[in-house]
Amino acid sequence: MINGVKAVDVQSLHIELGRDASRVHVLKGIDLAINQGEAVGLVGPSGSGKSTLLMAMAGLERAGSGKIIIADQDITTMSEDELAQFRGRQIGIVFQSFHLIETMTALENVAVPLELAGHNDPFTRARKELEAVGLKDRLSHYPSELSGGEQQRVAIARALAPDPTLLLADEPTGNLDATNGDMIVELLFTLKRERDMTMVLVTHDLRLAARCDRTIQLNSGKIVTKSDASS
């Protein structure tokens, strides 16, 4: 259920990347509030800053100035260790290129991050999450033995295993064919609804964006439109 409680509050966010003559002002004073339980799509042309904004919400890109408040905590003031611990509790991240460890099975790819975070029963939890994304019979398979859609489902299980309140996804269907892409879209929105999570997606896929409660369009580092998906 979408309510008036803010899950994410980005205030006057500026980010510059690169050095000296190659330095680029990527985000230029972004203000954005996302409510708990909301699904928001970030859209815009390549280079518009949408992936940088998503990575800033994850604490993987540092703000030059401004604030990013998630779960009532300003992550821009956290140390790297504090950010890592915060991500482990509050944020799940899904990438376009899966980022699975090739020498680990599907079960190990989901369980090992939990184990490193100190979860008391990581393999039981990992098994449950893989079953939830339809991979009950693929637990012992390595990434090279899985299809692209199956690899992305492992990545989703890994992101959701810590039971985050916020799910961030960067082009989650970008490396998939249309059929597998549709399956991943359906899975993400089903899991979001079942777990009442907040979800922010970067996507070029207009069908995926249309499933969101709102779309935010960026261009040249600024928000140019905010709209309901139905508008």
Side-chain angles (χ1 to χ4, degrees), residues 37-101:
E38 194 173 17
V40 171
L42 301 180
V43 301
S46 296
S48 60
K50 55 191 185 297
S51 289
T52 301
L53 176 56
L54 194 82
M55 291 300 101
M57 292 180 192
L60 296 173
E61 286 287 1
R62 283 294 200 173
S65 63
K67 294 182 178 181
I68 304 172
I69 300 170
I70 297 174
D72 296 323
Q73 297 190 57
D74 184 356
I75 68 170
T76 62
T77 64
M78 294 180 181
S79 68
E80 291 300 327
D81 286 345
E82 289 170 337
L83 269 172
Q85 292 176 8
F86 183 80
R87 271 195 300 271
R89 297 190 307 270
Q90 298 285 351
I91 301 173
I93 310 171
V94 177
F95 298 96
Q96 176 178 345
S97 54
F98 318 140
H99 289 313
L100 301 180
I101 298 173

Side-chain angles (χ1 to χ4, degrees), residues 67-199:
K67 294 182 178 181
I68 304 172
I69 300 170
I70 297 174
D72 296 323
Q73 297 190 57
D74 184 356
I75 68 170
T76 62
T77 64
M78 294 180 181
S79 68
E80 291 300 327
D81 286 345
E82 289 170 337
L83 269 172
Q85 292 176 8
F86 183 80
R87 271 195 300 271
R89 297 190 307 270
Q90 298 285 351
I91 301 173
I93 310 171
V94 177
F95 298 96
Q96 176 178 345
S97 54
F98 318 140
H99 289 313
L100 301 180
I101 298 173
E102 292 294 329
T103 56
M104 289 185 180
T105 64
L107 183 63
E108 290 167 339
N109 264 284
V110 179
V112 168
L114 291 172
E115 191 171 34
L116 293 173
H119 195 283
N120 60 2
D121 196 355
F123 282 86
T124 298
R125 178 72 182 183
R127 188 173 290 106
K128 178 181 176 182
E129 291 296 341
L130 286 164
E131 290 176 358
V133 299
L135 294 178
K136 180 180 180 179
D137 298 326
R138 311 291 272 173
L139 303 182
S140 62
H141 287 66
Y142 291 90
S144 61
E145 300 171 322
L146 301 172
S147 69
E150 288 171 333
Q151 289 184 63
Q152 190 62 296
R153 281 190 273 166
V154 175
I156 291 169
R158 180 183 58 194
L160 297 184
D163 198 24
T165 59
L166 174 64
L167 180 65
L168 304 175
D170 192 4
E171 297 283 6
T173 61
N175 278 351
L176 303 175
D177 60 32
T179 299
N180 277 306
D182 289 343
M183 289 173 60
I184 291 300
V185 169
E186 199 60 44
L187 178 62
L188 284 170
F189 279 89
T190 296
L191 292 169
K192 178 219 166 288
R193 184 174 60 252
E194 290 175 351
R195 301 177 188 219
D196 195 25
M197 292 184 300
T198 306
M199 185 163 66

